Amino acid sequence: MRKKFIKGIVLTLTCLGMMGLFTACSSDDEYRDTLNSGLDKYYNNEDMTKQEHDAVENFNNWKDKQGEKKYSDWD
């Protein structure tokens, strides 16, 4: 009885872990699509959604910080 319980827990955790991996992958794809769409609208001076605006703003902040690094900081 105890072995079945442990196997059930392991199976459940495995399924939850795989669902988490698939969710994380799809959310990365969604964010990339949102960023690309926002950048396209940004460069063409078109209206953006809030999600696109936030993604472009975060990208621009990241890009500005990368320019402040010295060559030795990239190691």
Side-chain angles (χ1 to χ4, degrees), residues 19-29:
M19 287 171 46
L21 284 173
F22 292 132
T23 302
C25 293
S26 68
S27 65
D28 287 344
D29 291 342

Side-chain angles (χ1 to χ4, degrees), residues 8-21:
I9 296 257
V10 169
L11 181 62
T12 302
L13 291 176
T14 302
C15 289
L16 289 174
M18 293 191 67
M19 287 171 46
L21 284 173

Side-chain angles (χ1 to χ4, degrees), residues 66-75:
Q66 300 310 305
E68 298 170 2
K69 290 185 177 181
K70 298 178 181 148
Y71 181 76
S72 60
D73 294 336
W74 287 93
D75 291 335

Side-chain angles (χ1 to χ4, degrees), residues 10-75:
V10 169
L11 181 62
T12 302
L13 291 176
T14 302
C15 289
L16 289 174
M18 293 191 67
M19 287 171 46
L21 284 173
F22 292 132
T23 302
C25 293
S26 68
S27 65
D28 287 344
D29 291 342
E30 289 174 21
Y31 183 80
R32 184 178 29 240
D33 292 343
T34 301
L35 176 59
N36 287 334
S37 174
L39 287 172
D40 186 47
K41 291 178 181 180
Y42 175 76
Y43 293 126
N44 291 313
N45 200 25
E46 298 174 6
D47 290 335
M48 293 183 270
T49 65
K50 179 170 177 19
Q51 291 83 7
E52 290 169 336
H53 177 270
D54 292 344
V56 170
E57 185 177 31
N58 289 337
F59 175 75
N60 286 335
N61 289 339
W62 172 83
K63 188 170 65 169
D64 290 342
K65 288 180 184 177
Q66 300 310 305
E68 298 170 2
K69 290 185 177 181
K70 298 178 181 148
Y71 181 76
S72 60
D73 294 336
W74 287 93
D75 291 335

